[in-house]
Amino acid sequence: MKIAVIDGQGGGIGKAIVEKLRSVFNDDTAIIALGTNAVVTSLMLKAGAHEGASGENAIVINAPKVDFIMGSVGIIAANTMLGELTPRMAEAITGSPAKKLLIPLNRCGLYVIGTRQEPLLRYIDEAIALIKELSDDCSKET
């Protein structure tokens, strides 16, 4: 199984996601850090991602190659993260066949109605529990 974690700006969300993924999944689950900039990718690699790449082309090339994509809801909207998330990146992420698990942080001018205000780590726990459930369901189908 391959999980891409996509983040930008300072990388704190991506770092937290990667740390939690590493604590839950074993080494046969590949965690790929995809940062909008090199600082973010480096931070996610230090947090335990198996491999990483930075920039628009890295996200465009890798988004369709993974089973799951995790990040804040801002990764599907062009020009968010102070312009770091380009239209090509947003298109590659939304067009990917991967299941997307988006953390509903009310930043970037995006508000997800119907969600409750929870701490970031609680959202990450819920997303990882869903990955486990969905990957178990996929295993049963084969």
Side-chain angles (χ1 to χ4, degrees):
M1 177 169 58
K2 290 183 183 179
I3 303 171
V5 179
I6 301 176
D7 199 10
Q9 293 187 294
I13 294 168
K15 175 183 181 265
I17 292 171
V18 169
E19 287 173 344
K20 189 64 175 188
L21 286 168
R22 289 290 289 160
S23 73
V24 172
F25 291 100
N26 55 29
D27 283 333
D28 63 344
T29 298
I31 302 168
I32 303 166
L34 298 175
T36 59
N37 64 64
V39 172
V40 173
T41 304
S42 176
L43 191 62
M44 290 191 286
L45 285 167
K46 287 178 186 171
H50 295 96
E51 52 188 343
S54 305
E56 180 180 79
N57 200 55
I59 292 172
V60 169
I61 294 299
N62 288 289
K65 295 179 180 179
V66 298
D67 302 301
F68 296 95
I69 295 174
M70 287 186 71
S72 74
V73 70
I75 67 171
I76 62 167
N79 303 313
T80 56
M81 299 182 189
L82 296 176
E84 285 187 18
L85 206 294
T86 69
R88 279 190 70 216
M89 290 175 180
E91 181 179 13
I93 294 164
T94 57
S96 168
K99 291 175 178 66
K100 293 120 189 119
L101 293 99
L102 305 174
I103 308 298
L105 298 178
N106 296 330
R107 295 185 185 164
C108 306
L110 299 172
Y111 297 88
V112 181
I113 306 306
T115 60
R116 62 207 180 283
Q117 285 288 59
E118 296 284 351
L120 172 64
L121 294 179
R122 185 157 306 142
Y123 283 132
I124 293 170
D125 288 342
E126 286 182 33
I128 291 172
L130 183 56
I131 287 176
K132 290 177 88 175
E133 180 183 320
L134 292 171
S135 64
D136 288 345
D137 288 347
C138 290
S139 297
K140 292 175 187 172
E141 291 174 7
T142 55

